[in-house]
Amino acid sequence: MNRVQVIEVTRKSLSPMNSMSLKLSQTVAEQLTAEHAIVFLLDQGASQFVGVLENEARVVDIRITTDGCLVNSISTLQEALLSTDFIKELDEKLKLRVQSSISAIMNNSNNEPLGFVLALNKMASQGDAPMEFTAPDLQLLQKLTCMAGWVVEQTLQVDKVQVKKVQLKSQFQDLQTAYTKVCQDNHRLQSSYRSRRITKKRAVTTAVMIFLSGFLYLFFAHSFNTAPETWYGGGMQQRLQSQLISPQVERVEDFLHLSGNLQPLSWVKVNAPLDAAIEHVNFQYGDTVHQGQLLLELDQSTIQLAHRDATAAYFQSLKELERLKNWSNSIEVKNAKRAVVRANKALQLAKERHASTSSLFQKGIVARTELDSDWRAVSEAEVTLAMAQESLIAQRSVASDVQLKIAQLSLQNAEQKMQSLALQVDQANIHSPVQGIILPATSKQEKQPSKGGIYSGAQVAKNQPLVMIADMSGVSIDSQVNEVDLLKIKPGQSVDVRIEALNDLSLSGVIHYVDARASAHKGSRSRVFNIQIQVKQLTKRQRNMIRIGMSVDTRVLIYSNPEALVIPFSAVQLEGNKKFVWVQTEQGQVIRKYIEIRSSLPQGLEVSSGLSAADKIVIGHGESTNA
């Protein structure tokens, strides 16, 4: 039924799942004090169980193939796997000297089988005989198997997620490649359309010029009674000269036009510094406030009371620290020293009296009771001295290094608390941190008719947002740029900003940042990138005119050529995909010159290569020849 296959491997060649299986096996063996433990994972595709064992620097891959055993009947399979024949076959191939074994099924959270865990050879204490696995060992193995099942399940889920990520990444790259190809095809179509449109315009222009030329020719020939062939033959050179032009050298600029809404240069949120009630509100929403202007006054009675208590605690801690520093000269220590001196003197006198009484007792002059009475006096004096000495030690320990350290820490805590409360007292009068327009502290800065929760008597909590101040020392414009034009802009580029609502008020700004993440454009499959344009300084007049949210039109200079060569549309002719013009040489010959066109302008075409400003272009040369 079962077939065991053992393959020698190395740790480096193990898959992540096999490495995890080996670590779980080692953990189970340590917890059960077993000589070996093997975590077998179910490979449903191959209908086999796979386990890894490391024994004496030898790593083996164990594969158990089951013939005709369904995964759902893993409980019966476990019994078969633990049969004598299977253990014997496993022992022969691994040389483990198996004497005892236990196993437990490993399931996932849905109670579906993931495999099983096999523990071999219960280890005994040093010098004892080998032991058998007990019922508590089986219970512990079952708990460890549940934990191992959870680990395996989580690892499998992570692997599935990683595979899904790789698939999604591959799909994204395919979509990106397809999109790039579509963009390139679209660009070629647009170029072809522009070329056809230019050709059409040139053909219409040429036809009109031919018609006008013929009409004028017939008109003047009839008026002056001049033969056509004479005018043509004698005036050809003059007609050719009248059609010679030179490329115009002029500044050419190209702009990217964007739209957006005006926003402050920055938003500054003002929070409540403490828990208190509002006493006075010194602003109206929409007011322009100055830096340092008083906005709100909070009730200070509670915080001032707490500050006075903290101040008293601070001076009490300071007094206690000074007392401990001078404790060696305190009354308590001096009294303890005096008590020790008195006890020493009393002991000395008691000893002298006892010695005298003992001498008289030996001579038979005094009774023994008197001797015993003097001895008791000596003992009492010794006890009194010991108590006085202990009291002195105790008094000196009051100012030990530990007590001094505690007093210093208490003083630091009291000082910090006093300073914190003093700062809150100062912050109870809330001032504007910047100059700007004051607005409600809401996610949307819309105009509201009332102050909401900001009014005299309202209770506010510490760190509660109170108001927002729009920093109007400058403005920012949030806009979007299409991904096709993304490479044409970069942070730091100059931007012309025009506000149509203010009679086309013009401002000079720069691109502050370009978002690194794309977002979908509404109603289109193309992607756009958010950008922010900043106008960092405004005049006082401009600040008074500008309102938040106004729509603006911006113009970003993306190309500038102060010495561009511009020629008329009618000067360019086509030869397949190539463009050329007729140019008259110094010897009077007319030749072709192939050119490259960079862009089409209202006044003509900008030539990027093939011509110079000194060239003489012949307009309508082909038409003259045909005529």
Side-chain angles (χ1 to χ4, degrees):
M1 178 181 180
N2 308 316
R3 185 166 56 86
V4 180
Q5 182 182 7
V6 178
I7 304 173
E8 291 279 350
V9 294
T10 61
R11 276 185 172 269
K12 293 183 178 180
S13 63
L14 291 178
S15 65
M17 286 296 295
N18 286 342
S19 298
M20 178 201 65
S21 174
L22 182 59
K23 292 181 180 178
L24 291 175
S25 301
Q26 294 171 348
T27 302
V28 172
E30 292 176 0
Q31 295 295 324
L32 288 174
T33 61
E35 185 176 355
H36 303 289
I38 310 174
V39 176
F40 287 95
L41 300 179
L42 176 61
D43 185 355
Q44 295 184 353
S47 298
Q48 62 182 3
F49 294 90
V50 181
V52 182
L53 174 67
E54 184 176 20
N55 183 27
E56 298 179 354
R58 175 191 178 203
V59 182
V60 294
D61 182 270
I62 309 170
R63 299 179 181 271
I64 304 173
T65 304
T66 61
D67 299 328
C69 184
L70 299 177
V71 175
N72 294 332
S73 59
I74 191 169
S75 58
T76 58
L77 176 64
Q78 180 190 1
E79 297 176 1
L81 291 175
L82 290 178
S83 64
T84 305
D85 294 338
F86 167 69
I87 296 297
K88 183 178 179 181
E89 182 181 0
L90 189 66
D91 192 14
E92 289 177 354
K93 294 191 176 183
L94 296 178
K95 309 299 182 182
L96 300 179
R97 298 178 183 177
V98 179
Q99 297 182 0
S100 59
S101 62
I102 56 174
S103 69
I105 301 173
M106 183 168 54
N107 297 328
N108 59 15
S109 57
N110 296 327
N111 205 27
E112 296 173 347
L114 295 174
F116 67 95
V117 181
L118 176 65
L120 303 173
N121 295 343
K122 176 71 174 181
M123 297 175 64
S125 302
Q126 186 173 3
D128 296 339
M131 300 175 61
E132 295 289 334
F133 289 105
T134 61
D137 291 331
L138 181 58
Q139 294 177 356
L140 178 58
L141 177 61
Q142 291 173 346
K143 294 180 180 179
L144 294 173
T145 304
C146 291
M147 297 174 60
W150 182 85
V151 172
V152 172
E153 182 181 13
Q154 296 299 318
T155 305
L156 290 174
Q157 291 179 356
V158 171
D159 290 343
K160 290 180 180 178
V161 171
Q162 293 296 334
V163 172
K164 191 65 176 178
K165 285 183 178 179
V166 172
Q167 293 176 351
L168 290 175
K169 185 176 180 181
S170 177
Q171 293 175 0
F172 174 76
Q173 290 176 349
D174 293 340
L175 289 173
Q176 194 174 28
T177 302
Y179 179 76
T180 303
K181 184 178 179 181
V182 169
C183 289
Q184 292 174 351
D185 293 341
N186 184 39
H187 181 70
R188 285 196 295 268
L189 288 174
Q190 289 179 351
S191 300
S192 176
Y193 173 73
R194 285 196 296 266
S195 299
R196 291 178 181 177
R197 188 173 58 182
I198 292 172
T199 304
K200 185 177 180 180
K201 289 183 178 180
R202 184 179 57 80
V204 172
T205 303
T206 303
V208 172
M209 291 181 64
I210 292 173
F211 175 76
L212 291 177
S213 299
F215 177 77
L216 292 175
Y217 166 72
L218 294 174
F219 176 77
F220 285 108
H222 177 72
S223 300
F224 295 101
N225 197 20
T226 304
E229 59 275 10
T230 305
W231 181 83
Y232 179 84
M236 186 62 189
Q237 183 66 25
Q238 182 180 357
R239 182 169 178 261
L240 187 61
Q241 289 291 339
S242 65
Q243 296 176 351
L244 288 178
I245 65 167
S246 296
Q248 297 296 317
V249 179
E250 56 185 90
R251 173 180 291 273
V252 172
E253 295 178 337
D254 194 5
F255 296 91
L256 180 63
H257 295 272
L258 304 171
S259 60
N261 296 320
L262 280 176
Q263 296 294 332
L265 192 61
S266 63
W267 290 100
V268 180
K269 183 182 291 186
V270 179
N271 296 333
L274 53 103
D275 299 333
I278 298 176
E279 281 193 345
H280 299 289
V281 179
N282 302 317
F283 66 88
Q284 293 288 336
Y285 287 137
D287 288 349
T288 299
V289 296
H290 304 288
Q291 185 176 7
Q293 179 177 333
L294 180 62
L295 302 178
L296 295 166
E297 298 177 53
L298 303 182
D299 181 16
Q300 302 181 13
S301 57
T302 303
I303 194 66
Q304 285 180 345
L305 178 62
H307 178 251
R308 288 194 291 269
D309 290 341
T311 303
Y314 167 75
F315 285 109
Q316 188 67 29
S317 299
L318 180 61
K319 180 180 177 181
E320 177 66 15
L321 180 61
E322 293 298 329
R323 186 178 74 87
L324 292 178
K325 287 182 178 180
N326 299 320
W327 183 251
S328 60
N329 297 323
S330 64
I331 297 298
E332 290 83 353
V333 175
K334 290 180 179 179
N335 289 336
K337 289 180 178 179
R338 295 191 188 101
V340 171
V341 172
R342 287 196 298 268
N344 270 320
K345 290 183 179 179
L347 178 60
Q348 188 65 30
L349 291 175
K351 286 181 177 180
E352 290 176 357
R353 185 180 296 111
H354 178 265
S356 175
T357 303
S358 177
S359 176
L360 293 176
F361 174 75
Q362 291 175 0
K363 293 178 181 180
I365 298 176
V366 296
R368 186 173 184 83
T369 55
E370 187 174 353
L371 178 63
D372 292 340
S373 176
D374 290 344
W375 172 250
R376 285 195 295 274
V378 170
S379 298
E380 291 176 356
E382 288 177 344
V383 172
T384 303
L385 176 60
M387 293 176 61
Q389 290 174 339
E390 290 177 356
S391 178
L392 178 60
I393 293 173
Q395 291 296 333
R396 285 175 174 172
S397 66
V398 171
S400 64
D401 293 340
V402 175
Q403 295 297 329
L404 283 172
K405 187 64 175 178
I406 293 174
Q408 290 173 351
L409 294 176
S410 298
L411 179 63
Q412 292 175 2
N413 291 339
E415 183 180 10
Q416 185 174 357
K417 184 176 181 180
M418 179 184 66
Q419 292 175 350
S420 176
L421 291 170
L423 180 61
Q424 292 185 26
V425 171
D426 294 336
Q427 292 176 340
N429 292 332
I430 301 175
H431 298 81
S432 174
V434 295
Q435 177 179 344
I437 300 174
I438 192 164
L439 296 170
T442 56
S443 58
K444 293 183 179 179
Q445 306 304 327
E446 67 274 3
K447 184 177 180 181
Q448 298 183 357
S450 64
K451 295 190 177 80
I454 308 301
Y455 55 87
S456 297
Q459 189 73 28
V460 296
K462 185 177 181 180
N463 294 326
Q464 174 185 336
L466 299 178
V467 294
M468 295 283 286
I469 299 178
D471 182 5
M472 297 302 293
S473 59
V475 291
S476 64
I477 298 100
D478 295 330
S479 185
Q480 292 180 328
V481 61
N482 192 283
E483 60 185 342
V484 177
D485 299 320
L486 181 63
L487 297 180
K488 299 177 183 178
I489 64 172
K490 61 182 178 180
Q493 269 182 295
S494 299
V495 182
D496 293 331
V497 180
R498 291 187 178 275
I499 308 175
E500 184 179 359
L502 301 178
N503 297 324
D504 285 338
L505 176 65
S506 179
L507 303 173
S508 297
V510 295
I511 296 178
H512 180 59
Y513 81 88
V514 180
D515 201 342
R517 300 170 298 178
S519 58
H521 191 273
K522 293 183 180 179
S524 174
R525 296 180 59 185
S526 64
R527 297 288 174 172
V528 295
F529 289 80
N530 295 323
I531 68 170
Q532 187 184 79
I533 301 168
Q534 286 189 351
V535 179
K536 295 189 177 181
Q537 289 186 348
L538 294 176
T539 64
K540 183 177 180 180
R541 175 177 172 274
Q542 291 171 344
R543 284 197 297 268
N544 293 334
M545 295 171 60
I546 289 175
R547 294 294 180 267
I548 298 172
M550 281 184 167
S551 60
V552 298
D553 293 322
T554 64
R555 191 176 66 166
V556 185
L557 179 64
I558 58 176
Y559 174 76
S560 178
N561 187 357
E563 297 182 350
L565 294 180
V566 180
I567 61 176
F569 294 99
S570 59
V572 180
Q573 298 189 34
L574 294 177
E575 184 183 53
N577 294 329
K578 297 181 180 180
K579 304 176 184 65
F580 69 91
V581 294
W582 294 106
V583 178
Q584 183 180 14
T585 64
E586 294 180 355
Q587 292 77 20
Q589 298 177 346
V590 178
I591 62 173
R592 291 186 180 188
K593 271 198 172 183
Y594 292 94
I595 61 173
E596 295 291 336
I597 303 298
R598 198 203 75 85
S599 62
S600 176
L601 307 170
Q603 64 270 31
L605 300 172
E606 179 188 358
V607 179
S608 59
S609 63
L611 277 182
S612 66
D615 287 333
K616 300 296 183 181
I617 301 175
V618 182
I619 301 296
H621 174 72
E623 292 82 350
S624 299
T625 305
N626 294 334

